[in-house]
Amino acid sequence: MATTEVERKRGQRAALSIAAVVIMVGVPLWWRTTETYRAWLPFSQINELANMQLQLSADVEVVFARGTVTPEQQKKVPLTQTEDEEHTVAEDTALRYRYEIRYRTATIMEEDALDQPTAAEADLSLHTLSESPCGSLVVYVIPESSSLLPEDVDVYIGQRRTGLLRIGTQMRVGRTLEQLLAHLEPRIKQVLQVMSFSHTDITAALSDRVRLSPGNKESIADSMRAFKSSPGYEITFSLLNPDPKSHRLHWDIEGAVQTYIQPLLTKLAPVANFSLDSQTLYYAMLGVNPRFDSSSSAYTLNSDSLAHVINPVEARLGSNAASSNPVLNFLLYVPDAHHSPLYIHDNKKQQVASNAFHSPRWGGIMVYNVNGLYRPEAVLPVDININMAKVMGVFLAQLRLLLGVQSSTAPPGFLMAPCGSTGLADWELDRLMWSRSVENVAKATTTITSLAQLLDQIGNIVINDNIAEQVSNAVTSLQLAVAELEAGNLGFALQYSKEAIMASERAFFDPSLLHLLYFPDDQKFAIYIPLFLPMCVPILLSLLKIVSEARQKRREKQAKKD
Amino acid sequence: MSPTGSICWTEPPVFTSLMHTSCCTMKILTFFSLFSTLLSANSINLEENAGQFFSSGHTNNWAVLVCTSRFWFNYRHVANTLSVYRSVKRLGIPDSHIVLMLADDMACNHRNPKPATVFSHKNMELNVYGDDVEVDYRGYEVTVENFLRVLTGRLPTSTPRSKRLLSDDRSNILIYLTGHGGNGFLKFQDSEEISNVELADAFEQMWQKRRYNELLFIIDTCQGASMYERFYSPNLMALASSQVGEDSLSHQPDLAIGVHLMDRYTFYLLEFLEDIHPASKANMNDLFKVCPKSQCVSTPGHRTDLFLRDPGSALITDFFGSVRKVEITMETINLTDPIKEAEQNPMNEKPQKVTYSYVDQLPVSEIIHQKPKQKDWHPPDGFILGLWTLILLVFFKTYGIKHLKHIF
């Protein structure tokens, strides 16, 4: 009897100890070994960034030339005004534009510079005097009687960051400084809209974040045409020669790129990296048959057939396999001898002066006719040197359009200086930098926010340390970029925004973040039941038996007591 | 600066000729009114055509075509995918914008009586393999993981450009899947499956990163409609060859090759696409009518509630073709500097010679002298546990049940 008692006790102790081991050791072990490693992410900071409040600050210096202010007003003039404009674009996006306007009178050297006969020369001598930093402007207010600007022009925008503003007629007699400033304020704002940033540009840059209803058609075309901000671009120049038997073409592409294109790209270096290459394709035909137009005795391509030209050619253009940067293709097509000369007609059946067309976010094609360069009885093949200045003039214009440099039409009364030898005016670069900074900040914020949301929702994704590091870098860079935009340091803001974009893209597109761990509930049951059921059922049953025996004993003891 | 380039659109010739006649007539009043109505009509027509330019909102097209089955008897799935590939290329999408994934090689299969061909019509009328097929993912590379990586963009940095989907927010993407499927899943390579929830999540991640403007999803498998049930991202349109509970059937066997050559839905889809040319104006509503129940035996389904535009305004070529928008370049920059002569490198400065060498393909020395890798400890899985339980039970049975009694 005692042995059975001992054995029973031993059995009870064995069952209890097994249950204890399973619960104390087994369950935590299973939990630890099946949990996924998730490094800490700054979720609170990311949520703060999601509610984007951007402030853009621009510095403007307004210089009064001789004849615009009276001598006693001149004493009051050195003053500073700050203007704020608030816009709420969406429920989580607010913009504030701050303009710091400093008024002063012109120095002697500036007066001398403004005495030049034409506005262009005045502009040249003015910016030998001072160099305005990136993102700021200088506007010179000249008297109404000044002969610098032609009759119908009120504002002249120079190649650097200067503008000449002609004071209005009503501001001639007996006006106070306050009236003068009040008159100038909207006009200076207008100049700022053109030379610095405008609300339409900034909201277009935020299109990733805020899906706005389409405004006018021009703004849609602008937004569809330019490439989105990217850390690098690849530019490929291709010469298409469908008829090597007749034409032996020579183009000095290296020299042309070095002279004409490289200055623009060097100037755009803060915005993106560019890599250039070139190729020559032989026997590359256009996919469309041009029609012969007897009135001009030339072959024509009309506008609706242009859309079908690109696809057959694109199949033959290569691209750099190593990088994933967007590619801009510029093609120079020399028509074959039987289809020369070839002209492009617009929808009004007029010849296009540039003989070129471009496709949004793809590149441009120019048709270069060479039939005039050799006599019909010349010995084939003919050596032809291509006039690279003409070709590059067209390609440079197309490049400006595709990169988003070209702005919308100038308001009436404005005269723009032709862009300099680099093909880009300083204020155009500033405009591009403003919109790129805002676009980068918006895109990085969206990426980080959606990444945080994704990682929050899907509890099974492993978050490695390197991803957490990239996310932290991105958050830090974003905060710095927003701060620099507030302070008005455009160069630093763009740099930080680029770093933010790179870090956030690297974190989002990290190959380890693939969510392949989706388990529907029935699959989870199917995996765990064969593992745990055979183990748990004996333990549970033995525990139940112990409990029932203990209860029975207590009942017996109660019965014995009574 | 002069205005930006004009956007070209087609102007119907009728209006221009009428305007010419209107200028030459004598009755000024009547033709003045006619002129004004013509102007307004002309501007309306221009508006319509300009509207056409902007209505689709995309600038480039991509296609992801996936065949998920291997083995010789699944010849028809490879033929399906290659036929869609052929149509898409014919309508203009270049190879650089097509990601073609074929899980098995039918053209060079040992059982193919006509090697290097894949036919889609019986009597071997049409060889869809040809000599310019560019397969990006082949054989065992076609996995659920790679497919999701292509869609979401999470590829390792060493992946070449041809294997990536480099779309942006103005890309229209066509995704075509074919293979064997079931209610809520699609089988890949006979060993794994992708569920409709994973697919919907992948599309949502694409939307978050604005990797598409509009997406057309076509699936030709059994119970294909279950795959698009769970979509929740905007701008998706989906077509399937059969509803939940129905099987998609194959079209016709070829007696010489010995297998079925195509599936019915894709066969009739291709017949429809053969009539489409790059300038065609057929829209999505025509696509929904392809292969009715009488021809397909299964009921094709479609889903357009997530698509923001009206499907009747979406052209077939918006997804299957690649019609580029063009603008005339209106202005040029006047460049006057002559080309600089390239600077001559001084001859005494020898360029640094960088020696290149190939990466070790097979690091033999490392393998020979390798130490065994430390493996992470995993807890024993179900098989081991079951085995131990069995051993314990046998032990207790042999050595007496009474030991067992105290536990149970």
Side-chain angles (χ1 to χ4, degrees), chain A residues 225 259-260 304 311 314 323 325 354 356 358-361 398 406 450 505 508-509 511 531 542 545, chain B residues 10 92 145 149 152 154 161 169-170 208-210 322 324-325 327 329 331 333 337 340 382 407-408:
Chain A
R225 183 188 310 124
T259 317
Y260 302 125
D304 44 359
N311 284 327
E314 187 168 7
S323 81
N325 287 332
S354 60
H358 57 273
S359 177
R361 297 207 185 169
Q398 288 177 341
Q406 190 88 342
S450 63
E505 298 268 309
F508 192 92
F509 287 120
L531 285 179
S542 58
K545 186 161 184 214
Chain B
T10 50
E145 181 183 336
R149 283 193 191 281
T152 54
R154 295 203 169 98
R161 209 185 171 107
D169 64 321
R170 294 274 174 202
Q208 289 281 331
K209 247 346 220 125
R210 300 285 183 266
S322 174
R324 298 268 181 188
K325 315 273 195 288
E327 292 176 340
T329 307
E331 50 183 72
I333 296 180
D337 305 331
K340 287 200 283 271
I407 299 182
F408 283 95

Tab-separated table of all heavy atoms in Angstrom, chain A residues 225 259-260 304 311 314 323 325 354 356 358-361 398 406 450 505 508-509 511 531 542 545, chain B residues 10 92 145 149 152 154 161 169-170 208-210 322 324-325 327 329 331 333 337 340 382 407-408:
chain	number	residue	atom	x	y	z
A	225	ARG	N	6.114	66.824	-67.906
A	225	ARG	CA	7.232	66.860	-68.823
A	225	ARG	C	8.562	66.652	-68.114
A	225	ARG	O	9.413	65.921	-68.587
A	225	ARG	CB	7.249	68.200	-69.556
A	225	ARG	CG	8.344	68.300	-70.581
A	225	ARG	CD	8.472	69.681	-71.142
A	225	ARG	NE	7.205	70.201	-71.577
A	225	ARG	CZ	6.688	71.332	-71.148
A	225	ARG	NH1	7.314	72.053	-70.266
A	225	ARG	NH2	5.520	71.745	-71.583
A	259	THR	N	32.101	71.856	-74.448
A	259	THR	CA	31.940	73.303	-74.585
A	259	THR	C	30.541	73.757	-74.231
A	259	THR	O	30.366	74.800	-73.615
A	259	THR	CB	32.230	73.729	-76.036
A	259	THR	OG1	33.363	73.039	-76.478
A	259	THR	CG2	32.432	75.218	-76.140
A	260	TYR	N	29.540	73.010	-74.654
A	260	TYR	CA	28.176	73.529	-74.559
A	260	TYR	C	27.367	72.926	-73.428
A	260	TYR	O	26.585	73.602	-72.787
A	260	TYR	CB	27.436	73.293	-75.876
A	260	TYR	CG	28.117	73.924	-77.068
A	260	TYR	CD1	28.459	73.167	-78.179
A	260	TYR	CD2	28.417	75.272	-77.087
A	260	TYR	CE1	29.078	73.735	-79.269
A	260	TYR	CE2	29.037	75.846	-78.177
A	260	TYR	CZ	29.365	75.074	-79.265
A	260	TYR	OH	29.988	75.636	-80.335
A	304	ASP	N	1.071	64.413	-85.862
A	304	ASP	CA	0.480	63.232	-85.239
A	304	ASP	C	1.231	61.953	-85.559
A	304	ASP	O	1.008	60.935	-84.905
A	304	ASP	CB	-0.995	63.103	-85.615
A	304	ASP	CG	-1.211	63.354	-87.081
A	304	ASP	OD1	-0.227	63.645	-87.788
A	304	ASP	OD2	-2.363	63.275	-87.527
A	311	ASN	N	9.104	54.752	-80.632
A	311	ASN	CA	9.145	53.359	-80.178
A	311	ASN	C	10.067	52.442	-80.958
A	311	ASN	O	10.832	51.701	-80.357
A	311	ASN	CB	7.740	52.783	-80.171
A	311	ASN	CG	6.964	53.304	-78.997
A	311	ASN	OD1	7.525	53.538	-77.958
A	311	ASN	ND2	5.689	53.506	-79.186
A	314	GLU	N	13.603	53.253	-79.945
A	314	GLU	CA	13.977	53.029	-78.552
A	314	GLU	C	14.466	51.613	-78.332
A	314	GLU	O	15.301	51.368	-77.475
A	314	GLU	CB	12.779	53.303	-77.654
A	314	GLU	CG	13.169	53.237	-76.216
A	314	GLU	CD	12.106	53.772	-75.306
A	314	GLU	OE1	11.020	54.076	-75.806
A	314	GLU	OE2	12.377	53.849	-74.106
A	323	SER	N	23.314	51.315	-63.617
A	323	SER	CA	22.614	52.229	-62.722
A	323	SER	C	21.131	52.242	-63.027
A	323	SER	O	20.709	51.876	-64.115
A	323	SER	CB	23.164	53.643	-62.885
A	323	SER	OG	22.574	54.234	-64.006
A	325	ASN	N	19.357	55.064	-62.802
A	325	ASN	CA	18.972	56.461	-62.912
A	325	ASN	C	18.132	56.686	-64.153
A	325	ASN	O	18.278	55.976	-65.140
A	325	ASN	CB	20.225	57.335	-63.001
A	325	ASN	CG	20.927	57.418	-61.674
A	325	ASN	OD1	20.303	57.292	-60.639
A	325	ASN	ND2	22.230	57.614	-61.729
A	354	SER	N	13.128	74.779	-85.405
A	354	SER	CA	14.202	73.983	-84.836
A	354	SER	C	14.284	72.607	-85.478
A	354	SER	O	15.280	71.919	-85.319
A	354	SER	CB	13.968	73.814	-83.337
A	354	SER	OG	12.730	73.168	-83.139
A	356	ALA	N	12.843	69.985	-84.558
A	356	ALA	CA	13.071	69.027	-83.478
A	356	ALA	C	11.806	68.899	-82.640
A	356	ALA	O	10.969	69.795	-82.623
A	356	ALA	CB	14.218	69.497	-82.578
A	358	HIS	N	10.345	66.902	-78.738
A	358	HIS	CA	10.770	66.177	-77.550
A	358	HIS	C	9.575	65.475	-76.933
A	358	HIS	O	8.425	65.822	-77.195
A	358	HIS	CB	11.429	67.119	-76.539
A	358	HIS	CG	10.557	68.261	-76.120
A	358	HIS	ND1	10.501	69.440	-76.806
A	358	HIS	CD2	9.715	68.386	-75.075
A	358	HIS	CE1	9.652	70.239	-76.204
A	358	HIS	NE2	9.163	69.639	-75.153
A	359	SER	N	9.877	64.471	-76.148
A	359	SER	CA	8.833	63.685	-75.511
A	359	SER	C	8.999	63.812	-74.006
A	359	SER	O	10.118	63.722	-73.508
A	359	SER	CB	8.952	62.220	-75.938
A	359	SER	OG	7.992	61.446	-75.290
A	360	PRO	N	7.904	64.041	-73.266
A	360	PRO	CA	8.055	64.248	-71.830
A	360	PRO	C	8.716	63.056	-71.161
A	360	PRO	O	8.399	61.920	-71.445
A	360	PRO	CB	6.616	64.393	-71.324
A	360	PRO	CG	5.822	64.732	-72.508
A	360	PRO	CD	6.508	64.149	-73.685
A	361	ARG	N	9.661	63.367	-70.278
A	361	ARG	CA	10.352	62.355	-69.493
A	361	ARG	C	11.062	61.325	-70.346
A	361	ARG	O	11.312	60.198	-69.902
A	361	ARG	CB	9.381	61.627	-68.555
A	361	ARG	CG	8.795	62.572	-67.565
A	361	ARG	CD	8.404	61.896	-66.318
A	361	ARG	NE	7.751	62.838	-65.452
A	361	ARG	CZ	7.100	62.535	-64.371
A	361	ARG	NH1	7.037	61.275	-64.018
A	361	ARG	NH2	6.541	63.448	-63.646
A	398	GLN	N	16.105	71.652	-75.149
A	398	GLN	CA	15.282	70.502	-74.749
A	398	GLN	C	15.706	70.009	-73.365
A	398	GLN	O	14.867	69.627	-72.540
A	398	GLN	CB	15.433	69.373	-75.761
A	398	GLN	CG	14.744	69.661	-77.075
A	398	GLN	CD	14.980	68.559	-78.091
A	398	GLN	OE1	15.911	67.772	-77.965
A	398	GLN	NE2	14.138	68.515	-79.102
A	406	GLN	N	12.806	75.344	-67.293
A	406	GLN	CA	11.978	76.339	-67.967
A	406	GLN	C	10.789	76.711	-67.110
A	406	GLN	O	10.075	75.862	-66.619
A	406	GLN	CB	11.481	75.730	-69.270
A	406	GLN	CG	10.808	76.686	-70.180
A	406	GLN	CD	11.810	77.359	-71.095
A	406	GLN	OE1	12.998	77.341	-70.819
A	406	GLN	NE2	11.334	77.943	-72.145
A	450	SER	N	5.439	56.168	-44.809
A	450	SER	CA	4.794	54.933	-45.254
A	450	SER	C	5.597	53.724	-44.810
A	450	SER	O	5.024	52.663	-44.533
A	450	SER	CB	4.583	54.940	-46.759
A	450	SER	OG	5.797	54.989	-47.432
A	505	GLU	N	15.262	56.250	-49.252
A	505	GLU	CA	15.078	55.279	-50.329
A	505	GLU	C	15.838	53.999	-50.013
A	505	GLU	O	15.363	52.890	-50.265
A	505	GLU	CB	15.594	55.847	-51.650
A	505	GLU	CG	14.891	57.086	-52.127
A	505	GLU	CD	13.727	56.788	-53.041
A	505	GLU	OE1	13.915	56.039	-54.009
A	505	GLU	OE2	12.632	57.298	-52.760
A	508	PHE	N	13.789	52.151	-47.478
A	508	PHE	CA	12.530	51.595	-47.974
A	508	PHE	C	12.765	50.429	-48.905
A	508	PHE	O	12.054	49.428	-48.882
A	508	PHE	CB	11.749	52.699	-48.697
A	508	PHE	CG	10.329	52.342	-49.003
A	508	PHE	CD1	9.318	52.652	-48.124
A	508	PHE	CD2	9.996	51.687	-50.176
A	508	PHE	CE1	8.005	52.325	-48.414
A	508	PHE	CE2	8.694	51.353	-50.462
A	508	PHE	CZ	7.697	51.682	-49.579
A	509	PHE	N	13.769	50.559	-49.793
A	509	PHE	CA	13.990	49.534	-50.809
A	509	PHE	C	15.026	48.513	-50.382
A	509	PHE	O	15.613	47.844	-51.215
A	509	PHE	CB	14.424	50.183	-52.124
A	509	PHE	CG	13.291	50.890	-52.821
A	509	PHE	CD1	13.347	52.239	-53.080
A	509	PHE	CD2	12.167	50.193	-53.206
A	509	PHE	CE1	12.307	52.884	-53.715
A	509	PHE	CE2	11.117	50.832	-53.840
A	509	PHE	CZ	11.199	52.176	-54.095
A	511	PRO	N	16.481	45.133	-49.557
A	511	PRO	CA	15.964	43.825	-49.961
A	511	PRO	C	15.489	42.972	-48.793
A	511	PRO	O	14.722	42.037	-48.993
A	511	PRO	CB	17.153	43.153	-50.646
A	511	PRO	CG	18.040	44.241	-51.040
A	511	PRO	CD	17.850	45.333	-50.050
A	531	LEU	N	2.676	20.052	-33.256
A	531	LEU	CA	3.819	20.181	-32.358
A	531	LEU	C	3.384	20.138	-30.907
A	531	LEU	O	3.979	19.448	-30.085
A	531	LEU	CB	4.510	21.535	-32.609
A	531	LEU	CG	5.358	21.669	-33.862
A	531	LEU	CD1	5.920	23.070	-33.917
A	531	LEU	CD2	6.466	20.666	-33.852
A	542	SER	N	-2.887	15.011	-16.855
A	542	SER	CA	-2.314	14.618	-15.562
A	542	SER	C	-2.555	15.690	-14.522
A	542	SER	O	-2.840	15.401	-13.361
A	542	SER	CB	-0.827	14.338	-15.719
A	542	SER	OG	-0.168	15.456	-16.213
A	545	LYS	N	-5.982	15.268	-13.358
A	545	LYS	CA	-6.102	14.115	-12.469
A	545	LYS	C	-5.603	14.463	-11.076
A	545	LYS	O	-6.217	14.108	-10.070
A	545	LYS	CB	-5.283	12.957	-13.041
A	545	LYS	CG	-5.474	11.691	-12.277
A	545	LYS	CD	-5.038	10.494	-13.103
A	545	LYS	CE	-5.372	9.304	-12.248
A	545	LYS	NZ	-4.592	8.209	-12.286
B	10	THR	N	-4.020	66.334	-83.072
B	10	THR	CA	-4.517	66.232	-84.454
B	10	THR	C	-5.640	67.221	-84.656
B	10	THR	O	-6.526	67.355	-83.821
B	10	THR	CB	-5.057	64.842	-84.739
B	10	THR	OG1	-5.952	64.494	-83.693
B	10	THR	CG2	-3.927	63.844	-84.783
B	92	GLY	N	4.240	48.431	-79.303
B	92	GLY	CA	5.195	49.495	-79.083
B	92	GLY	C	6.002	49.474	-77.806
B	92	GLY	O	6.930	50.245	-77.676
B	145	GLU	N	9.095	35.213	-54.272
B	145	GLU	CA	9.950	36.255	-53.720
B	145	GLU	C	10.438	37.198	-54.807
B	145	GLU	O	10.357	38.418	-54.665
B	145	GLU	CB	11.133	35.596	-53.027
B	145	GLU	CG	12.060	36.599	-52.401
B	145	GLU	CD	13.262	35.924	-51.784
B	145	GLU	OE1	13.151	34.730	-51.458
B	145	GLU	OE2	14.283	36.590	-51.641
B	149	ARG	N	9.624	41.048	-55.288
B	149	ARG	CA	10.735	41.993	-55.294
B	149	ARG	C	10.676	42.888	-56.508
B	149	ARG	O	10.951	44.086	-56.429
B	149	ARG	CB	12.074	41.252	-55.286
B	149	ARG	CG	12.441	40.717	-53.935
B	149	ARG	CD	13.896	40.292	-53.900
B	149	ARG	NE	14.203	39.547	-52.709
B	149	ARG	CZ	14.430	40.063	-51.522
B	149	ARG	NH1	14.351	41.361	-51.379
B	149	ARG	NH2	14.711	39.307	-50.494
B	152	THR	N	7.769	45.450	-55.852
B	152	THR	CA	7.991	46.489	-54.850
B	152	THR	C	9.306	47.206	-55.040
B	152	THR	O	9.534	48.232	-54.423
B	152	THR	CB	7.972	45.897	-53.433
B	152	THR	OG1	8.920	44.830	-53.381
B	152	THR	CG2	6.616	45.382	-53.084
B	154	ARG	N	12.313	46.028	-54.282
B	154	ARG	CA	13.310	45.705	-53.254
B	154	ARG	C	14.277	44.656	-53.772
B	154	ARG	O	14.401	43.565	-53.230
B	154	ARG	CB	12.603	45.175	-52.016
B	154	ARG	CG	11.757	46.232	-51.396
B	154	ARG	CD	11.524	45.949	-49.952
B	154	ARG	NE	10.940	47.110	-49.341
B	154	ARG	CZ	9.656	47.263	-49.124
B	154	ARG	NH1	8.842	46.320	-49.468
B	154	ARG	NH2	9.212	48.354	-48.571
B	161	ARG	N	19.681	46.372	-64.841
B	161	ARG	CA	18.549	47.214	-65.183
B	161	ARG	C	17.430	46.454	-65.857
B	161	ARG	O	16.259	46.755	-65.671
B	161	ARG	CB	19.059	48.302	-66.134
B	161	ARG	CG	18.324	49.535	-66.063
B	161	ARG	CD	18.858	50.464	-67.132
B	161	ARG	NE	17.993	51.598	-67.189
B	161	ARG	CZ	18.302	52.802	-66.744
B	161	ARG	NH1	19.490	53.016	-66.258
B	161	ARG	NH2	17.441	53.778	-66.813
B	169	ASP	N	5.815	57.689	-61.212
B	169	ASP	CA	4.406	57.972	-60.933
B	169	ASP	C	3.603	58.256	-62.180
B	169	ASP	O	2.410	58.493	-62.103
B	169	ASP	CB	4.308	59.151	-59.951
B	169	ASP	CG	4.856	60.420	-60.561
B	169	ASP	OD1	5.866	60.334	-61.266
B	169	ASP	OD2	4.294	61.482	-60.322
B	170	ARG	N	4.251	58.273	-63.330
B	170	ARG	CA	3.515	58.481	-64.573
B	170	ARG	C	3.606	57.265	-65.468
B	170	ARG	O	3.596	57.372	-66.686
B	170	ARG	CB	4.099	59.694	-65.328
B	170	ARG	CG	3.911	60.983	-64.610
B	170	ARG	CD	2.607	61.589	-64.925
B	170	ARG	NE	2.344	62.765	-64.135
B	170	ARG	CZ	1.144	63.241	-63.914
B	170	ARG	NH1	0.099	62.620	-64.416
B	170	ARG	NH2	0.972	64.318	-63.213
B	208	GLN	N	2.069	53.399	-52.436
B	208	GLN	CA	2.678	54.298	-51.452
B	208	GLN	C	3.912	54.966	-52.014
B	208	GLN	O	4.188	56.125	-51.732
B	208	GLN	CB	3.097	53.504	-50.208
B	208	GLN	CG	1.961	53.010	-49.370
B	208	GLN	CD	1.417	54.090	-48.503
B	208	GLN	OE1	2.138	55.005	-48.114
B	208	GLN	NE2	0.156	54.013	-48.194
B	209	LYS	N	4.643	54.235	-52.830
B	209	LYS	CA	5.869	54.784	-53.393
B	209	LYS	C	5.613	55.386	-54.774
B	209	LYS	O	6.547	55.723	-55.471
B	209	LYS	CB	6.881	53.676	-53.562
B	209	LYS	CG	8.124	53.702	-52.720
B	209	LYS	CD	8.396	54.974	-52.045
B	209	LYS	CE	9.852	55.290	-52.075
B	209	LYS	NZ	10.151	56.566	-52.638
B	210	ARG	N	4.339	55.491	-55.119
B	210	ARG	CA	3.938	56.065	-56.403
B	210	ARG	C	4.701	55.410	-57.552
B	210	ARG	O	5.287	56.078	-58.397
B	210	ARG	CB	4.174	57.575	-56.454
B	210	ARG	CG	3.430	58.355	-55.420
B	210	ARG	CD	1.971	58.490	-55.732
B	210	ARG	NE	1.298	59.307	-54.737
B	210	ARG	CZ	0.676	58.865	-53.670
B	210	ARG	NH1	0.611	57.575	-53.453
B	210	ARG	NH2	0.116	59.682	-52.821
B	322	SER	N	2.361	51.691	-76.358
B	322	SER	CA	3.208	52.719	-75.771
B	322	SER	C	3.183	53.914	-76.698
B	322	SER	O	4.083	54.091	-77.503
B	322	SER	CB	4.618	52.160	-75.617
B	322	SER	OG	5.482	53.165	-75.194
B	324	ARG	N	3.661	57.553	-77.298
B	324	ARG	CA	4.355	58.617	-76.608
B	324	ARG	C	3.674	59.947	-76.852
B	324	ARG	O	3.176	60.211	-77.922
B	324	ARG	CB	5.762	58.714	-77.161
B	324	ARG	CG	6.555	57.483	-76.949
B	324	ARG	CD	7.273	57.614	-75.707
B	324	ARG	NE	8.100	56.470	-75.426
B	324	ARG	CZ	8.700	56.322	-74.280
B	324	ARG	NH1	8.556	57.206	-73.362
B	324	ARG	NH2	9.448	55.271	-74.084
B	325	LYS	N	3.707	60.797	-75.852
B	325	LYS	CA	3.279	62.174	-76.069
B	325	LYS	C	4.474	62.930	-76.615
B	325	LYS	O	5.599	62.704	-76.181
B	325	LYS	CB	2.880	62.817	-74.744
B	325	LYS	CG	2.033	61.961	-73.870
B	325	LYS	CD	0.600	62.125	-74.200
B	325	LYS	CE	-0.307	61.581	-73.134
B	325	LYS	NZ	-0.349	60.146	-73.057
B	327	GLU	N	5.988	66.879	-77.959
B	327	GLU	CA	5.807	68.312	-78.088
B	327	GLU	C	6.856	68.824	-79.043
B	327	GLU	O	7.996	68.360	-79.008
B	327	GLU	CB	6.011	69.002	-76.739
B	327	GLU	CG	4.938	68.687	-75.735
B	327	GLU	CD	5.266	69.319	-74.407
B	327	GLU	OE1	6.432	69.659	-74.167
B	327	GLU	OE2	4.346	69.472	-73.616
B	329	THR	N	9.623	71.288	-80.239
B	329	THR	CA	10.553	72.179	-79.555
B	329	THR	C	10.492	73.535	-80.233
B	329	THR	O	10.868	73.674	-81.382
B	329	THR	CB	11.981	71.617	-79.648
B	329	THR	OG1	11.954	70.284	-79.184
B	329	THR	CG2	12.924	72.429	-78.816
B	331	GLU	N	11.814	76.556	-79.174
B	331	GLU	CA	12.894	77.530	-79.099
B	331	GLU	C	14.222	76.826	-79.009
B	331	GLU	O	14.317	75.681	-78.589
B	331	GLU	CB	12.699	78.409	-77.888
B	331	GLU	CG	12.459	77.601	-76.647
B	331	GLU	CD	12.191	78.503	-75.499
B	331	GLU	OE1	11.105	79.089	-75.471
B	331	GLU	OE2	13.087	78.642	-74.661
B	333	ILE	N	18.569	77.633	-78.201
B	333	ILE	CA	19.509	78.549	-77.572
B	333	ILE	C	20.588	78.852	-78.598
B	333	ILE	O	21.102	77.953	-79.259
B	333	ILE	CB	20.104	77.909	-76.316
B	333	ILE	CG1	18.984	77.695	-75.302
B	333	ILE	CG2	21.180	78.775	-75.728
B	333	ILE	CD1	19.444	77.087	-74.039
B	337	ASP	N	29.944	80.230	-78.972
B	337	ASP	CA	31.355	79.918	-78.710
B	337	ASP	C	31.792	78.783	-79.602
B	337	ASP	O	31.058	77.830	-79.802
B	337	ASP	CB	31.543	79.484	-77.250
B	337	ASP	CG	31.013	80.519	-76.295
B	337	ASP	OD1	31.030	81.702	-76.663
B	337	ASP	OD2	30.559	80.124	-75.211
B	340	LYS	N	35.903	74.167	-77.924
B	340	LYS	CA	37.271	74.227	-77.371
B	340	LYS	C	38.015	72.993	-77.814
B	340	LYS	O	37.462	71.899	-77.833
B	340	LYS	CB	37.209	74.232	-75.837
B	340	LYS	CG	36.734	75.545	-75.250
B	340	LYS	CD	37.148	75.638	-73.803
B	340	LYS	CE	36.279	74.811	-72.894
B	340	LYS	NZ	35.125	75.577	-72.409
B	382	GLY	N	8.549	19.412	-35.166
B	382	GLY	CA	7.476	18.474	-34.829
B	382	GLY	C	7.839	17.029	-35.016
B	382	GLY	O	7.457	16.173	-34.220
B	407	ILE	N	0.945	8.889	-14.289
B	407	ILE	CA	0.972	10.179	-14.989
B	407	ILE	C	-0.382	10.452	-15.627
B	407	ILE	O	-0.897	11.570	-15.593
B	407	ILE	CB	2.084	10.186	-16.045
B	407	ILE	CG1	3.425	9.983	-15.337
B	407	ILE	CG2	2.085	11.493	-16.816
B	407	ILE	CD1	4.608	10.027	-16.257
B	408	PHE	N	-0.945	9.437	-16.179
B	408	PHE	CA	-2.240	9.638	-16.848
B	408	PHE	C	-3.368	9.382	-15.879
B	408	PHE	O	-3.327	8.441	-15.122
B	408	PHE	CB	-2.379	8.692	-18.037
B	408	PHE	CG	-1.579	9.170	-19.205
B	408	PHE	CD1	-0.301	8.663	-19.404
B	408	PHE	CD2	-2.055	10.157	-20.034
B	408	PHE	CE1	0.453	9.118	-20.466
B	408	PHE	CE2	-1.296	10.601	-21.095
B	408	PHE	CZ	-0.038	10.078	-21.316
